[in-house]
Every structure is written in structure tokens, then in C-alpha cells.
Amino acid sequence: MRSPLVRWSVLSVSLALALTSCARGTGGAAAPAPSAGQFDPGASYQGTISVMGFGATDEIGETRVELAKKSLKGADVKLIEGDLDIQQFLSAVAAGDPPDIIYANRDQIGTFASRGAIIPLTSCVQGEQIDTSMYNKNALSQVTFGNEVYAIPEFNQVQITMANAALLKDAGLTIADVNGSNWDKVTAATKKLVKAPGGKLQVIGFDSKLPEFLPLWAKSLGADLLSADGRTAQLNTPEVVKALQFAVAIYDAQGGFAKVKAVRDSADFFGKGNQYAKNALGAMPMEQWYVNVLNDVSPKASMAFDTFRTPEGKPLAYSSGSSWAVPKGSKNPGAACRFAKTMTLVESWKAAAQARLDKRKAEGKPFTGVLTGNVKADEEIQKMLTSGGEPWDSGVKAVYEANQNTFSLPANPADKEFKDAWQGAVNRVLNGQEEPQAALDKAQKDAQAALDKAWADWTKRTN
């Protein structure tokens, strides 16, 4: 399954336009919190609830949607397939005709809440008696805003270190040289692994995965890009500057980011011609779902896996993922709440995992697991795993270890502006326009201004 977050960069421009064009319709006041009485775990629902942004295109989705339909005790479910169309969604909210529930990235929730486009779900949680202790704490914190829960966490994503074992061996290296635990070793390994005859880059030694993984590199030095309360940007601290300098230097050692990106973009990322199968990449940190992709399309690829590790050798991963939110003006918030609850219950995830396991078994392939936003479900699914032999068993082990050692960025009303600020800074450095310190100083100023304005507007709306 492709990561929902892969789509976020594409949606950023759409979100910017949508928030501008729809601000009047959705930003006048915070969406009112419904009463717990609207959410009854024993209630039956009629009609049809509309779900935007979720396609149920595989057995993991299909199984849970069928269970969610049954839980409504009468109501049908209409899936508006495809990625969440942010402009379409906000326009529908502004027009008073939104879908009943949406499937959104967790880092969109703060912005949607601040615009009054989605309603608080605290009453939903209370009324439907949803046990929030089953959710990953970092996932839940990403959708908790202004002391209210605004979404129900679903899938979870973490990163692990993935490397080409054959290239490592040929260079006299091991996975420990590229797992992040020693930055000097990562730099040295990059120089040993890179191949650029005549100045033409053919093999990427190490991909530090900028701009998106700056939070991971910074956190490995103990730095958070944003304060725990979501109010203070921390983009130009010495640790963040050092992290950016290091990650950019990795590209510079290979001829610059432009050359690395060209090789990266030319690969058949989801197919048999991927960088590992073609021996065109030494190592990189990457989201865990790519283990499944590689096992499917390149089962004989020479791979090595480990968690991403801090300089102290401790596992670390940046938690992100998807969630369910109920729009302001939803015609059936009770059914929407029940749907979100059922889609994320332990029993639902287990049933979906069993369907995946059965399919993989029929294909003669191992079941490598599914990471959810539900820690109790993850524990049960982990018991269902089947061996694929090495190196895949080590990859799965690294995934679950990483999932126990995560951090996330807190929700805030300027989610998009904040992300644009730090990613813009990284891109300016990668493109040679600015040095890391200057770029992050500007990002700090822009991000803090956006946060101050957004929080002030939020206070006015909620008052």
C-alpha cells in the first residue's frame, strides 16, 4: 500500500488555494462540539453516510468497511474514492453540504480544526464509549487540539533503515555503518558506496531523505521542531542547524542534491526496477510499508534492515499517518462516529489482518504485518506474522521495534504554514540558494509569525 503521506506534498498547493478561497466559509467560528447524547453505542442508523478520501481498494480496507456497515445496523456507506480533495472538501463545508466523514492525514487535522471545518469528537468518544487507551499516544496527540480530540487515528507510519546488503559487503561495511548511530560512519559509508564514473552519478551511496525527514535527523540530536504545546517554533536551534548541515552534506558528497534526486526519480520505485533491485542505492531511512513493496516485487533482492538509530544507538522513528474526522455540517455525525470507531477497533484490524494473511498464504508469500494507530491491535497482529526468511524477518522485526520508539509533531492551528516554513528552508539549502543557518532563521521567523496569528485567531473563535 502506498503511503498516504506520499500524497501530502502534492496536496500542499491545493490546500493553500483551498484555505484561501474557503476561509470565509469555514473560518468564522470554531465548529461547535456536539453533545454526548448524539452518540449512542446501541443506536441504529438509516440512510447512507458518505465517506470522502477512502477507497477500500484492498482486503485491509474492504474487510473493515464491511464490519463498519454492519455496525451501523441499517445505514449504507457510500465511498467517495480517491485521495481527499481538499478544495472540494472545504468548498462543501462552506456550502453546508459536506460528506459525513473524511479520511485525512493527521498533520492536516490542526488546520482543519482551526478553520472550523471539522467538529470535536470528544463527545463521540464519550458517547460511543471509545477506549482511547488503545490508540498510539503519539497518533492521538497529533489529532488532539485545544484539549479536544478532533479525529480518530488509523494507520501508523514509521521509518527504518533499509540497505543493499551486497553493496555493503562489497564496500566492507555493515548495516551499523548506515543506521544513523554514528554520523561520521554514515558519511564515510556514503563515500565508499557512491559510484559516479566520469562525474555521472549511477549509485547513490546514502539518501538522507530530505526535505521530509529533517524532523527525524533533528530528533536524533534531541531537538523538536515545535514545542510540546504547539505554540513555539524551534527551527533554528543549534541541533536543528547541525542536523540540516549533516543531511545536506551527504548529498554534497555525491555531487549535490540535484544529481541524487535525478537518480532517485528515475527509479521504478514501486516495481521490479526499484533502486535496490538495480543496485542503484546503498541505504536510506524509509517508511515501513516499503518493506512490503520490496518483498512483493523484489523478493530476492539483497537487503539488510535495522531501525533508524540515534547517536546513542537507540531506535527512533517519526510517527505519522491517517485519521478519521467528522466535518462541520455532517448530516449524520452519530453514524460517522460509529464508522470511525469500528474501522479502528482491535477486532476489525484483526479481521483485516486475517484476510491479508489468507491472501498472502494463497500466493505463497509471508504476512509481514500491518501497522495501525491502535497499539492493542498491533500486538495482536504481530502474533499473526509468518516468516519470510531472512532478510525479511529482520525487516519486520525492525518495523515493530521502531513502532515502540516514536515521536510526532504536536497538532497546531498552523500545521500547513509551519510545514511549509521548514520544508521551504530545506529546499532552499538543497537548491543552493541559502546556507542552513540563514534558511532556518528565516523559517523560524515565518513559522512563529504563522503560529502566533493562528493561535490568536483560534482564541477569538473559541471565545
Side-chain angles (χ1 to χ4, degrees):
M1 175 178 289
R2 294 196 184 191
S3 158
L5 295 187
V6 171
R7 307 189 293 255
W8 178 231
S9 59
V10 179
L11 293 172
S12 294
V13 174
S14 299
L15 179 56
L17 294 172
L19 293 182
T20 301
S21 62
C22 300
R24 180 177 299 177
T26 60
S35 66
Q38 288 184 254
F39 306 102
D40 178 0
S44 299
Y45 297 98
Q46 302 301 316
T48 300
I49 69 165
S50 54
V51 181
M52 179 180 281
F54 188 81
T57 55
D58 63 10
E59 63 280 357
I60 298 294
E62 292 170 354
T63 301
R64 292 180 299 125
V65 167
E66 287 303 313
L67 291 171
K69 285 181 181 179
K70 291 179 181 178
S71 76
L72 298 176
K73 303 176 182 178
D76 197 8
V77 175
K78 177 185 178 182
L79 300 180
I80 304 172
E81 296 188 10
D83 300 341
L84 178 65
D85 186 319
I86 296 173
Q87 186 162 359
Q88 179 185 356
F89 164 59
L90 292 178
S91 296
V93 173
D97 188 28
D100 292 300
I101 188 169
I102 62 169
Y103 187 62
N105 291 332
R106 295 199 292 267
D107 63 1
Q108 297 171 326
I109 297 302
T111 297
F112 287 162
S114 70
R115 296 285 174 172
I118 57 177
I119 64 173
L121 296 185
T122 303
S123 296
C124 156
V125 169
Q126 295 172 349
E128 277 285 346
Q129 300 172 14
I130 300 176
D131 177 13
T132 57
S133 69
M134 66 182 172
Y135 297 121
N136 180 295
K137 63 179 182 179
N138 287 312
L140 193 62
S141 70
Q142 281 188 298
V143 296
T144 301
F145 183 71
N147 297 318
E148 294 268 15
V149 175
Y150 272 88
I152 303 298
E154 214 206 34
F155 285 107
N156 201 42
Q157 292 187 163
V158 298
Q159 306 78 30
I160 65 170
T161 302
M162 305 183 188
N164 185 308
L167 292 181
L168 289 180
K169 183 178 180 180
D170 289 345
L173 302 168
T174 69
I175 190 70
D177 293 303
V178 292
N179 65 6
S181 59
N182 185 309
W183 288 11
D184 289 338
K185 286 186 176 181
V186 173
T187 300
T190 300
K191 295 176 180 179
K192 288 184 177 181
L193 291 166
V194 65
K195 295 180 181 178
K200 181 177 175 58
L201 184 63
Q202 293 182 351
V203 178
I204 300 171
F206 186 88
D207 190 344
S208 50
K209 294 304 296 292
L210 291 182
E212 59 267 35
F213 284 3
L214 177 62
L216 182 65
W217 291 108
K219 186 66 173 180
S220 71
L221 296 180
D224 292 300
L225 302 192
L226 183 63
S227 63
D229 61 6
R231 293 178 178 270
T232 305
Q234 301 171 158
L235 299 179
N236 62 345
T237 64
E239 294 82 6
V240 179
V241 174
K242 182 178 180 180
L244 180 55
Q245 289 172 333
F246 165 76
V248 171
I250 290 295
Y251 293 127
D252 291 343
Q254 302 174 87
F257 178 71
K259 290 185 177 182
V260 173
K261 187 175 186 300
V263 174
R264 178 203 289 178
D265 292 347
S266 67
D268 181 15
F269 196 74
F270 293 95
K272 295 180 179 180
N274 64 78
Q275 290 171 288
Y276 288 115
K278 294 296 184 180
N279 295 318
L281 172 63
M284 67 175 175
M286 182 61 193
E287 286 95 345
Q288 90 285 345
W289 50 265
Y290 200 47
V291 175
N292 289 337
V293 173
L294 293 172
N295 181 257
D296 263 341
V297 301
S298 305
K300 296 187 181 300
S302 179
M303 297 297 301
F305 301 100
D306 192 9
T307 58
F308 177 89
R309 295 183 182 273
T310 69
E312 293 75 33
K314 296 179 180 179
L316 181 69
Y318 174 31
S319 172
S320 58
S322 50
S323 62
W324 296 102
V326 179
K328 178 182 179 181
S330 170
K331 296 177 177 61
N332 203 336
C337 176
R338 176 80 57 76
F339 180 89
K341 169 188 174 181
T342 307
M343 290 290 286
T344 60
L345 286 175
V346 174
E347 292 78 9
S348 300
W349 282 118
K350 285 180 64 177
Q354 185 63 53
R356 169 67 59 83
L357 190 158
D358 292 343
K359 179 181 179 182
R360 300 285 291 182
K361 184 177 180 180
E363 296 172 343
K365 298 177 180 178
F367 173 53
T368 55
V370 178
L371 277 194
T372 78
N374 185 320
V375 294
K376 295 181 180 178
D378 287 339
E379 291 173 359
E380 293 299 316
I381 292 173
Q382 193 171 4
K383 299 174 184 176
M384 302 167 65
L385 301 178
T386 58
S387 175
E390 290 298 337
W392 307 107
D393 289 354
S394 292
V396 174
K397 179 182 178 182
V399 167
Y400 279 93
E401 186 176 3
N403 199 42
Q404 296 296 320
N405 295 275
T406 62
F407 73 99
S408 63
L409 296 182
N412 69 86
D415 271 337
K416 181 192 178 299
E417 294 87 349
F418 180 79
K419 188 172 185 178
D420 283 351
W422 68 259
Q423 288 204 349
V426 175
N427 284 326
R428 291 194 299 275
V429 176
L430 291 174
N431 294 332
Q433 296 169 282
E434 292 180 357
E435 291 298 315
Q437 184 71 63
L440 290 172
D441 284 345
K442 182 181 185 303
Q444 173 68 21
K445 182 179 178 181
D446 293 344
Q448 192 58 57
L451 287 167
D452 290 344
K453 183 180 185 304
W455 276 110
D457 290 344
W458 174 257
T459 300
K460 291 178 182 178
R461 291 190 185 102
T462 54
N463 286 344

